[in-house]
Amino acid sequence: MDQPTNSKMGFTGRVSAASARHPWRTIGIWIVVAVALMGASGAMGGVFTTDISFTSKPESQRSRDIFKEWQGEPIFESLVISSEKYPVKSQEFQGFVTEITAALRKHPQHIDPSQTTNVYELAAVQPGAELALISKDGHTTLVNARVLGDADTAVESVAALDDAVAPFRANKDFTILRGGFISANEAFTTASEVDLKSEQYVLPIAMVILIIVFGALVAALAPMFIGIFAIMLSIASVTLISQISPLSIFVTNVVTMIGLAVGIDYALFTIARYREQRTAGFDVSDSIAIAGDTASRAVVFSGATVVIALSGLILVPNTIFRAFGIGSSIVVVFAVLATLTLLPAALRLLGDRIEGVHPAQWQRLAALATAAGVVFVPGPGRGVLAGVTFAILFLPAIVRGVMRIAGGRRNTPVVARDVTATGNGEDGFWGGTARFVMRNALVMATGSAALLLVLAVPYTKIHVGASGPSALPESYEVKQAFEVLNEKFVPGFLAPTDVVILAPDVKAPAIQQAMLAFQQRVSQDVEIRLSRPPVVSDDGTRTALGVALTGDLASEQAQNQVKRLREEIIPAAFSQSGAEVLVGGTTAINIDLFAQVRQYTPIVFAYVLGLSFILLMLVFRSIVVPIKSIIMNLLSVGAAYGVLIAVFQWGWAPDFMGFGKVDAIEAWLPLMMFTILFGLSMDYHVFLISRIRERYDETRQNTESVAFGLRSTANIITGAAAIMVAVFGGFALGDLVIFQQMGIGLAVAVFLDATIVRTVLVPATMRLLGDANWYLPAWLHWLPDLRVEKAPPTLSGATVGVAGDGGS
């Protein structure tokens, strides 16, 4: 039997071997790329936005574009002014509000004086209309002001508003709360940044998992470095891309989450195979080449599947979906490239030092970490560090216990024990699991599939929606303002719904009569209120007014009101006028977003499933494997959806977990979760099936190959899944329900995928199907052979030729 030669190696093996032959050259190239990207992004800055817009043109987007062209972005902020001492109709209250209104109008470059109104001015112009601005108890009113700018630049205008109001907050007789579109955006942005910081607590957990898997600190550090390095380059890249087209500010959250997950996993797979070959007796250079030709090839095809899945988001004509698709695809590409080139160079330089710092040495490191934490880490970070340090102190015992279960020596790498090329490890834990699954294949396949279907049942009751201010923590001022409005007014005053009327002459009698009819219908409605008088464009072709909705702007109640506007009230008033009427605003945008998601979900599913089927068919030379893979991935995704509904929509989570019950799941989340989960689950699937196929090509015995694949990959898949669960779970630690839903959904899906699906369902069904697993119709034999892993080399024969001093 032969060692690998350059002629026998595939593309990934040759790239890994070349990178290892010239490690410093490889590292130097990466340093140049990193410096160039981060330097350019730092110099140019990014153009990130909280704005969500449609690249297609639904009604709400047309309304917004017309308003923007006509008089800029229609953005309003409300001051909720209350006093327990004085009623709104008192002279003291009137004097206080009049002074605030005058102060706001002193900033015409930031606040439109003509669209800054209070209850007293409205009573003088439109008697009776002022009642909508007085609370039920008569002690609270509103000052509405239009701030200039768009969703991003209006932040400066809101700052000017705050400066104007600041002196009045000192008056203890009155309470002032600010709320509105920009206030809500600022709050969600701040909360997302705080939630992103929760990921810093995930890194120590991931580190502990890696140490347990590898049994060596240096080997554990390498995957962590690859993940962080890929994230850094990706954030720099999306920063530069944002100069061409602004991207969602939340793209960095997604890049961090996906980057940590895939970056660590890909390096984990490759290092595990490298250590396996070293344990089998290969030298450093040959082990790198073999790992590159097998595990790294699996990483490349797995990464391609992930990119296919994530790029499906780009098909949706919406800026936030496209930003997430671009950012997450870029970080996967960087993770794959770094694993294929930078990691082999690092392994060549480290050699057997990758095994450095074993459990006996961890106590000294823990003592140093504790000392450093006491001196340098402020606040609650000390408690986190202390907990991690405590865990590290006990890791030697944990690792020794794991090693005993798996049946190996203390200094033998955990992953190598069940993963040797000769198939050792049949008597270990995973060997026993493999035998049990093989003996009871029908029961295991039926039972695991039934469990996933039962978990998916709640998904049939899903109700989708969007987060409004009510989803924010209580500490945010806009949340407090919303609660006051919800209790005493109409919450829609925070962000009025726009009604835009288009006609050749909006002053024509027919149009004026229709507008009067519309206003009368709204004034008689128990849920909708007029919030802004009509404004006519200079050319007389456009007029617009505002209405306020009842309930949270993201609630089903508000959505129903907009639907009534569009389908009943507006047609009844304008049907004979010849005018075109558009409804815009936050709630209208949400409705159009939900419709867009429903429209594009089958398109994205067809794209992702179709391309994934083709790629998997080429990789595994089978039509059965990709069909089965797609079905199983859909089962795990469906089960994750069901758990998500049960936890958040039905409120089945225990109280101590801190997950509140919500009326609706974020409308974009199921589609986002599908693309992420389908892609990431292929990591495990490609890794498992490639080892099975490798063994099958060598022995032509299906059952033994399936058992070998299960026991030889289970440790790595379990460790990789534990890291992903930790990464995704980190998002669930935050306060925003959006990220809680995403974190729990993804964490549950990965857990189910790595345990029930990859450890039980896949092996059991492959055992039942036998050689039919590898069926490829004769008329498809012309397809190129892209098999991920082929029969492994052994120690006799020619060498790879990676040797060298590593200095070039």
mmCIF file of all heavy atoms in Angstrom, residues 575-616:
data_model
loop_
_atom_site.group_PDB
_atom_site.id
_atom_site.type_symbol
_atom_site.label_atom_id
_atom_site.label_comp_id
_atom_site.label_asym_id
_atom_site.label_seq_id
_atom_site.Cartn_x
_atom_site.Cartn_y
_atom_site.Cartn_z
ATOM 1 N N SER A 575 -63.004 55.560 -4.889
ATOM 2 C CA SER A 575 -63.254 54.726 -6.073
ATOM 3 C C SER A 575 -63.715 55.528 -7.281
ATOM 4 O O SER A 575 -63.422 55.167 -8.429
ATOM 5 C CB SER A 575 -64.292 53.649 -5.734
ATOM 6 O OG SER A 575 -65.511 54.259 -5.321
ATOM 7 N N GLN A 576 -64.434 56.643 -7.079
ATOM 8 C CA GLN A 576 -64.951 57.432 -8.200
ATOM 9 C C GLN A 576 -64.113 58.682 -8.475
ATOM 10 O O GLN A 576 -64.484 59.488 -9.324
ATOM 11 C CB GLN A 576 -66.398 57.851 -7.896
ATOM 12 C CG GLN A 576 -67.352 56.708 -7.591
ATOM 13 C CD GLN A 576 -67.473 55.744 -8.752
ATOM 14 O OE1 GLN A 576 -67.538 56.168 -9.916
ATOM 15 N NE2 GLN A 576 -67.501 54.445 -8.470
ATOM 16 N N SER A 577 -62.984 58.830 -7.782
ATOM 17 C CA SER A 577 -62.219 60.077 -7.888
ATOM 18 C C SER A 577 -61.185 60.061 -9.006
ATOM 19 O O SER A 577 -60.733 61.111 -9.457
ATOM 20 C CB SER A 577 -61.506 60.358 -6.570
ATOM 21 O OG SER A 577 -60.487 59.387 -6.337
ATOM 22 N N GLY A 578 -60.752 58.882 -9.441
ATOM 23 C CA GLY A 578 -59.692 58.781 -10.442
ATOM 24 C C GLY A 578 -58.302 58.910 -9.874
ATOM 25 O O GLY A 578 -57.306 58.876 -10.614
ATOM 26 N N ALA A 579 -58.176 59.050 -8.556
ATOM 27 C CA ALA A 579 -56.859 59.185 -7.915
ATOM 28 C C ALA A 579 -56.301 57.810 -7.556
ATOM 29 O O ALA A 579 -57.044 56.848 -7.343
ATOM 30 C CB ALA A 579 -56.971 60.040 -6.667
ATOM 31 N N GLU A 580 -54.977 57.739 -7.491
ATOM 32 C CA GLU A 580 -54.301 56.538 -6.988
ATOM 33 C C GLU A 580 -53.900 56.807 -5.544
ATOM 34 O O GLU A 580 -53.278 57.823 -5.250
ATOM 35 C CB GLU A 580 -53.067 56.208 -7.821
ATOM 36 C CG GLU A 580 -52.351 54.952 -7.340
ATOM 37 C CD GLU A 580 -51.082 54.639 -8.141
ATOM 38 O OE1 GLU A 580 -50.667 55.497 -8.944
ATOM 39 O OE2 GLU A 580 -50.511 53.550 -7.944
ATOM 40 N N VAL A 581 -54.245 55.900 -4.660
ATOM 41 C CA VAL A 581 -53.974 56.082 -3.224
ATOM 42 C C VAL A 581 -53.059 54.955 -2.745
ATOM 43 O O VAL A 581 -53.341 53.773 -2.972
ATOM 44 C CB VAL A 581 -55.275 56.090 -2.403
ATOM 45 C CG1 VAL A 581 -54.974 56.383 -0.934
ATOM 46 C CG2 VAL A 581 -56.246 57.128 -2.963
ATOM 47 N N LEU A 582 -51.969 55.349 -2.078
ATOM 48 C CA LEU A 582 -50.992 54.390 -1.570
ATOM 49 C C LEU A 582 -50.922 54.504 -0.047
ATOM 50 O O LEU A 582 -50.962 55.616 0.500
ATOM 51 C CB LEU A 582 -49.604 54.665 -2.153
ATOM 52 C CG LEU A 582 -49.485 54.700 -3.678
ATOM 53 C CD1 LEU A 582 -48.071 55.133 -4.079
ATOM 54 C CD2 LEU A 582 -49.809 53.346 -4.276
ATOM 55 N N VAL A 583 -50.813 53.372 0.622
ATOM 56 C CA VAL A 583 -50.668 53.352 2.073
ATOM 57 C C VAL A 583 -49.251 52.901 2.410
ATOM 58 O O VAL A 583 -48.803 51.840 1.958
ATOM 59 C CB VAL A 583 -51.694 52.408 2.734
ATOM 60 C CG1 VAL A 583 -51.491 52.380 4.255
ATOM 61 C CG2 VAL A 583 -53.101 52.853 2.395
ATOM 62 N N GLY A 584 -48.548 53.717 3.171
ATOM 63 C CA GLY A 584 -47.180 53.389 3.570
ATOM 64 C C GLY A 584 -47.021 53.468 5.081
ATOM 65 O O GLY A 584 -48.001 53.549 5.822
ATOM 66 N N GLY A 585 -45.776 53.430 5.541
ATOM 67 C CA GLY A 585 -45.512 53.454 6.973
ATOM 68 C C GLY A 585 -45.057 52.101 7.484
ATOM 69 O O GLY A 585 -45.036 51.104 6.759
ATOM 70 N N THR A 586 -44.725 52.068 8.772
ATOM 71 C CA THR A 586 -44.116 50.872 9.362
ATOM 72 C C THR A 586 -44.990 49.634 9.235
ATOM 73 O O THR A 586 -44.533 48.559 8.822
ATOM 74 C CB THR A 586 -43.808 51.128 10.845
ATOM 75 O OG1 THR A 586 -42.935 52.255 10.958
ATOM 76 C CG2 THR A 586 -43.146 49.913 11.476
ATOM 77 N N THR A 587 -46.252 49.742 9.576
ATOM 78 C CA THR A 587 -47.135 48.573 9.531
ATOM 79 C C THR A 587 -47.359 48.105 8.101
ATOM 80 O O THR A 587 -47.376 46.888 7.826
ATOM 81 C CB THR A 587 -48.484 48.897 10.197
ATOM 82 O OG1 THR A 587 -48.244 49.384 11.524
ATOM 83 C CG2 THR A 587 -49.354 47.654 10.270
ATOM 84 N N ALA A 588 -47.507 49.044 7.176
ATOM 85 C CA ALA A 588 -47.688 48.673 5.767
ATOM 86 C C ALA A 588 -46.444 47.967 5.238
ATOM 87 O O ALA A 588 -46.545 47.006 4.459
ATOM 88 C CB ALA A 588 -47.986 49.915 4.932
ATOM 89 N N ILE A 589 -45.273 48.444 5.653
ATOM 90 C CA ILE A 589 -44.023 47.786 5.248
ATOM 91 C C ILE A 589 -43.995 46.355 5.766
ATOM 92 O O ILE A 589 -43.591 45.421 5.057
ATOM 93 C CB ILE A 589 -42.811 48.588 5.759
ATOM 94 C CG1 ILE A 589 -42.670 49.895 4.973
ATOM 95 C CG2 ILE A 589 -41.525 47.774 5.662
ATOM 96 C CD1 ILE A 589 -41.606 50.831 5.508
ATOM 97 N N ASN A 590 -44.408 46.152 7.025
ATOM 98 C CA ASN A 590 -44.441 44.803 7.594
ATOM 99 C C ASN A 590 -45.362 43.886 6.793
ATOM 100 O O ASN A 590 -45.021 42.736 6.503
ATOM 101 C CB ASN A 590 -44.899 44.852 9.049
ATOM 102 C CG ASN A 590 -43.824 45.356 9.986
ATOM 103 O OD1 ASN A 590 -42.640 45.295 9.673
ATOM 104 N ND2 ASN A 590 -44.229 45.879 11.131
ATOM 105 N N ILE A 591 -46.528 44.392 6.437
ATOM 106 C CA ILE A 591 -47.475 43.576 5.660
ATOM 107 C C ILE A 591 -46.870 43.174 4.325
ATOM 108 O O ILE A 591 -46.959 42.015 3.899
ATOM 109 C CB ILE A 591 -48.787 44.357 5.446
ATOM 110 C CG1 ILE A 591 -49.520 44.525 6.777
ATOM 111 C CG2 ILE A 591 -49.681 43.655 4.430
ATOM 112 C CD1 ILE A 591 -50.744 45.413 6.688
ATOM 113 N N ASP A 592 -46.233 44.131 3.649
ATOM 114 C CA ASP A 592 -45.618 43.826 2.353
ATOM 115 C C ASP A 592 -44.432 42.879 2.512
ATOM 116 O O ASP A 592 -44.160 42.058 1.625
ATOM 117 C CB ASP A 592 -45.188 45.127 1.668
ATOM 118 C CG ASP A 592 -46.390 45.973 1.240
ATOM 119 O OD1 ASP A 592 -47.499 45.418 1.133
ATOM 120 O OD2 ASP A 592 -46.218 47.196 1.030
ATOM 121 N N LEU A 593 -43.712 43.011 3.642
ATOM 122 C CA LEU A 593 -42.604 42.093 3.904
ATOM 123 C C LEU A 593 -43.122 40.671 4.082
ATOM 124 O O LEU A 593 -42.554 39.711 3.532
ATOM 125 C CB LEU A 593 -41.836 42.536 5.150
ATOM 126 C CG LEU A 593 -40.743 41.579 5.643
ATOM 127 C CD1 LEU A 593 -39.641 41.424 4.597
ATOM 128 C CD2 LEU A 593 -40.149 42.068 6.967
ATOM 129 N N PHE A 594 -44.204 40.514 4.844
ATOM 130 C CA PHE A 594 -44.757 39.177 5.055
ATOM 131 C C PHE A 594 -45.192 38.560 3.723
ATOM 132 O O PHE A 594 -44.963 37.367 3.468
ATOM 133 C CB PHE A 594 -45.956 39.228 6.007
ATOM 134 C CG PHE A 594 -45.659 39.836 7.348
ATOM 135 C CD1 PHE A 594 -46.673 40.339 8.142
ATOM 136 C CD2 PHE A 594 -44.357 39.921 7.820
ATOM 137 C CE1 PHE A 594 -46.408 40.898 9.374
ATOM 138 C CE2 PHE A 594 -44.078 40.484 9.052
ATOM 139 C CZ PHE A 594 -45.109 40.980 9.833
ATOM 140 N N ALA A 595 -45.813 39.377 2.878
ATOM 141 C CA ALA A 595 -46.255 38.878 1.571
ATOM 142 C C ALA A 595 -45.050 38.487 0.714
ATOM 143 O O ALA A 595 -45.091 37.477 -0.005
ATOM 144 C CB ALA A 595 -47.083 39.945 0.863
ATOM 145 N N GLN A 596 -43.984 39.268 0.808
ATOM 146 C CA GLN A 596 -42.791 38.965 0.023
ATOM 147 C C GLN A 596 -42.141 37.662 0.483
ATOM 148 O O GLN A 596 -41.708 36.841 -0.335
ATOM 149 C CB GLN A 596 -41.790 40.117 0.155
ATOM 150 C CG GLN A 596 -40.567 39.973 -0.729
ATOM 151 C CD GLN A 596 -39.610 41.138 -0.537
ATOM 152 O OE1 GLN A 596 -38.951 41.256 0.483
ATOM 153 N NE2 GLN A 596 -39.542 42.019 -1.531
ATOM 154 N N VAL A 597 -42.081 37.461 1.795
ATOM 155 C CA VAL A 597 -41.507 36.216 2.325
ATOM 156 C C VAL A 597 -42.319 35.015 1.857
ATOM 157 O O VAL A 597 -41.757 33.987 1.448
ATOM 158 C CB VAL A 597 -41.440 36.275 3.868
ATOM 159 C CG1 VAL A 597 -41.087 34.897 4.431
ATOM 160 C CG2 VAL A 597 -40.413 37.296 4.321
ATOM 161 N N ARG A 598 -43.655 35.135 1.912
ATOM 162 C CA ARG A 598 -44.498 34.024 1.430
ATOM 163 C C ARG A 598 -44.264 33.753 -0.049
ATOM 164 O O ARG A 598 -44.235 32.597 -0.482
ATOM 165 C CB ARG A 598 -45.976 34.362 1.672
ATOM 166 C CG ARG A 598 -46.415 34.289 3.118
ATOM 167 C CD ARG A 598 -47.934 34.305 3.225
ATOM 168 N NE ARG A 598 -48.511 35.529 2.670
ATOM 169 C CZ ARG A 598 -48.735 36.638 3.373
ATOM 170 N NH1 ARG A 598 -48.405 36.677 4.663
ATOM 171 N NH2 ARG A 598 -49.278 37.697 2.801
ATOM 172 N N GLN A 599 -44.078 34.806 -0.823
ATOM 173 C CA GLN A 599 -43.886 34.641 -2.262
ATOM 174 C C GLN A 599 -42.554 33.976 -2.586
ATOM 175 O O GLN A 599 -42.486 33.114 -3.473
ATOM 176 C CB GLN A 599 -43.956 36.013 -2.942
ATOM 177 C CG GLN A 599 -43.705 35.962 -4.451
ATOM 178 C CD GLN A 599 -43.653 37.352 -5.074
ATOM 179 O OE1 GLN A 599 -43.903 38.359 -4.404
ATOM 180 N NE2 GLN A 599 -43.325 37.417 -6.366
ATOM 181 N N TYR A 600 -41.492 34.359 -1.874
ATOM 182 C CA TYR A 600 -40.154 33.891 -2.244
ATOM 183 C C TYR A 600 -39.698 32.642 -1.490
ATOM 184 O O TYR A 600 -38.682 32.054 -1.857
ATOM 185 C CB TYR A 600 -39.133 35.019 -2.041
ATOM 186 C CG TYR A 600 -39.123 35.990 -3.199
ATOM 187 C CD1 TYR A 600 -39.983 37.079 -3.226
ATOM 188 C CD2 TYR A 600 -38.284 35.796 -4.289
ATOM 189 C CE1 TYR A 600 -40.001 37.961 -4.297
ATOM 190 C CE2 TYR A 600 -38.286 36.668 -5.355
ATOM 191 C CZ TYR A 600 -39.149 37.748 -5.359
ATOM 192 O OH TYR A 600 -39.159 38.612 -6.427
ATOM 193 N N THR A 601 -40.436 32.241 -0.455
ATOM 194 C CA THR A 601 -40.035 31.028 0.271
ATOM 195 C C THR A 601 -39.958 29.804 -0.643
ATOM 196 O O THR A 601 -38.936 29.088 -0.629
ATOM 197 C CB THR A 601 -40.987 30.777 1.453
ATOM 198 O OG1 THR A 601 -40.805 31.808 2.424
ATOM 199 C CG2 THR A 601 -40.716 29.425 2.094
ATOM 200 N N PRO A 602 -40.976 29.492 -1.457
ATOM 201 C CA PRO A 602 -40.829 28.325 -2.348
ATOM 202 C C PRO A 602 -39.707 28.491 -3.370
ATOM 203 O O PRO A 602 -39.075 27.501 -3.756
ATOM 204 C CB PRO A 602 -42.199 28.229 -3.030
ATOM 205 C CG PRO A 602 -42.843 29.560 -2.848
ATOM 206 C CD PRO A 602 -42.317 30.114 -1.574
ATOM 207 N N ILE A 603 -39.443 29.718 -3.798
ATOM 208 C CA ILE A 603 -38.359 29.954 -4.761
ATOM 209 C C ILE A 603 -37.011 29.656 -4.118
ATOM 210 O O ILE A 603 -36.154 28.974 -4.704
ATOM 211 C CB ILE A 603 -38.409 31.409 -5.273
ATOM 212 C CG1 ILE A 603 -39.714 31.667 -6.030
ATOM 213 C CG2 ILE A 603 -37.201 31.705 -6.162
ATOM 214 C CD1 ILE A 603 -39.918 33.117 -6.436
ATOM 215 N N VAL A 604 -36.817 30.155 -2.890
ATOM 216 C CA VAL A 604 -35.553 29.903 -2.184
ATOM 217 C C VAL A 604 -35.395 28.421 -1.884
ATOM 218 O O VAL A 604 -34.305 27.849 -2.050
ATOM 219 C CB VAL A 604 -35.488 30.736 -0.886
ATOM 220 C CG1 VAL A 604 -34.253 30.361 -0.067
ATOM 221 C CG2 VAL A 604 -35.454 32.232 -1.211
ATOM 222 N N PHE A 605 -36.474 27.773 -1.449
ATOM 223 C CA PHE A 605 -36.413 26.335 -1.170
ATOM 224 C C PHE A 605 -36.001 25.565 -2.428
ATOM 225 O O PHE A 605 -35.138 24.673 -2.367
ATOM 226 C CB PHE A 605 -37.772 25.842 -0.667
ATOM 227 C CG PHE A 605 -37.922 25.868 0.819
ATOM 228 C CD1 PHE A 605 -37.809 27.056 1.523
ATOM 229 C CD2 PHE A 605 -38.175 24.721 1.527
ATOM 230 C CE1 PHE A 605 -37.949 27.098 2.895
ATOM 231 C CE2 PHE A 605 -38.323 24.739 2.910
ATOM 232 C CZ PHE A 605 -38.207 25.934 3.588
ATOM 233 N N ALA A 606 -36.624 25.878 -3.559
ATOM 234 C CA ALA A 606 -36.317 25.167 -4.804
ATOM 235 C C ALA A 606 -34.863 25.393 -5.206
ATOM 236 O O ALA A 606 -34.169 24.459 -5.635
ATOM 237 C CB ALA A 606 -37.253 25.641 -5.919
ATOM 238 N N TYR A 607 -34.381 26.611 -5.065
ATOM 239 C CA TYR A 607 -32.991 26.942 -5.410
ATOM 240 C C TYR A 607 -32.010 26.171 -4.532
ATOM 241 O O TYR A 607 -31.084 25.517 -5.030
ATOM 242 C CB TYR A 607 -32.786 28.451 -5.253
ATOM 243 C CG TYR A 607 -31.344 28.913 -5.277
ATOM 244 C CD1 TYR A 607 -30.677 29.129 -6.476
ATOM 245 C CD2 TYR A 607 -30.660 29.153 -4.089
ATOM 246 C CE1 TYR A 607 -29.363 29.559 -6.490
ATOM 247 C CE2 TYR A 607 -29.348 29.579 -4.099
ATOM 248 C CZ TYR A 607 -28.698 29.780 -5.296
ATOM 249 O OH TYR A 607 -27.396 30.205 -5.297
ATOM 250 N N VAL A 608 -32.220 26.238 -3.222
ATOM 251 C CA VAL A 608 -31.292 25.593 -2.281
ATOM 252 C C VAL A 608 -31.334 24.074 -2.431
ATOM 253 O O VAL A 608 -30.287 23.413 -2.535
ATOM 254 C CB VAL A 608 -31.622 26.007 -0.838
ATOM 255 C CG1 VAL A 608 -30.792 25.202 0.160
ATOM 256 C CG2 VAL A 608 -31.369 27.505 -0.641
ATOM 257 N N LEU A 609 -32.533 23.498 -2.448
ATOM 258 C CA LEU A 609 -32.645 22.043 -2.529
ATOM 259 C C LEU A 609 -32.173 21.521 -3.878
ATOM 260 O O LEU A 609 -31.504 20.479 -3.949
ATOM 261 C CB LEU A 609 -34.095 21.618 -2.283
ATOM 262 C CG LEU A 609 -34.683 21.978 -0.922
ATOM 263 C CD1 LEU A 609 -36.123 21.487 -0.814
ATOM 264 C CD2 LEU A 609 -33.841 21.408 0.206
ATOM 265 N N GLY A 610 -32.482 22.249 -4.947
ATOM 266 C CA GLY A 610 -32.078 21.800 -6.282
ATOM 267 C C GLY A 610 -30.573 21.794 -6.460
ATOM 268 O O GLY A 610 -29.982 20.783 -6.888
ATOM 269 N N LEU A 611 -29.913 22.920 -6.120
ATOM 270 C CA LEU A 611 -28.452 22.980 -6.285
ATOM 271 C C LEU A 611 -27.750 22.034 -5.318
ATOM 272 O O LEU A 611 -26.720 21.436 -5.659
ATOM 273 C CB LEU A 611 -27.959 24.404 -6.085
ATOM 274 C CG LEU A 611 -28.315 25.412 -7.184
ATOM 275 C CD1 LEU A 611 -27.682 26.764 -6.898
ATOM 276 C CD2 LEU A 611 -27.865 24.915 -8.553
ATOM 277 N N SER A 612 -28.285 21.890 -4.110
ATOM 278 C CA SER A 612 -27.678 20.968 -3.140
ATOM 279 C C SER A 612 -27.772 19.531 -3.642
ATOM 280 O O SER A 612 -26.829 18.742 -3.494
ATOM 281 C CB SER A 612 -28.366 21.097 -1.779
ATOM 282 O OG SER A 612 -28.187 22.387 -1.249
ATOM 283 N N PHE A 613 -28.904 19.181 -4.231
ATOM 284 C CA PHE A 613 -29.053 17.824 -4.785
ATOM 285 C C PHE A 613 -28.000 17.556 -5.857
ATOM 286 O O PHE A 613 -27.342 16.510 -5.859
ATOM 287 C CB PHE A 613 -30.449 17.652 -5.374
ATOM 288 C CG PHE A 613 -30.638 16.350 -6.090
ATOM 289 C CD1 PHE A 613 -30.976 15.206 -5.389
ATOM 290 C CD2 PHE A 613 -30.458 16.259 -7.467
ATOM 291 C CE1 PHE A 613 -31.139 13.990 -6.052
ATOM 292 C CE2 PHE A 613 -30.614 15.061 -8.128
ATOM 293 C CZ PHE A 613 -30.963 13.917 -7.424
ATOM 294 N N ILE A 614 -27.806 18.512 -6.756
ATOM 295 C CA ILE A 614 -26.829 18.335 -7.835
ATOM 296 C C ILE A 614 -25.425 18.186 -7.269
ATOM 297 O O ILE A 614 -24.670 17.283 -7.669
ATOM 298 C CB ILE A 614 -26.902 19.524 -8.816
ATOM 299 C CG1 ILE A 614 -28.250 19.521 -9.553
ATOM 300 C CG2 ILE A 614 -25.755 19.460 -9.826
ATOM 301 C CD1 ILE A 614 -28.497 20.760 -10.379
ATOM 302 N N LEU A 615 -25.057 19.058 -6.307
ATOM 303 C CA LEU A 615 -23.705 18.995 -5.740
ATOM 304 C C LEU A 615 -23.478 17.685 -4.999
ATOM 305 O O LEU A 615 -22.442 17.025 -5.175
ATOM 306 C CB LEU A 615 -23.487 20.181 -4.800
ATOM 307 C CG LEU A 615 -22.098 20.270 -4.153
ATOM 308 C CD1 LEU A 615 -21.016 20.419 -5.224
ATOM 309 C CD2 LEU A 615 -22.026 21.430 -3.168
ATOM 310 N N LEU A 616 -24.439 17.268 -4.185
ATOM 311 C CA LEU A 616 -24.281 16.018 -3.440
ATOM 312 C C LEU A 616 -24.258 14.813 -4.367
ATOM 313 O O LEU A 616 -23.544 13.828 -4.102
ATOM 314 C CB LEU A 616 -25.413 15.874 -2.418
ATOM 315 C CG LEU A 616 -25.393 16.866 -1.251
ATOM 316 C CD1 LEU A 616 -26.641 16.694 -0.401
ATOM 317 C CD2 LEU A 616 -24.148 16.664 -0.398
#
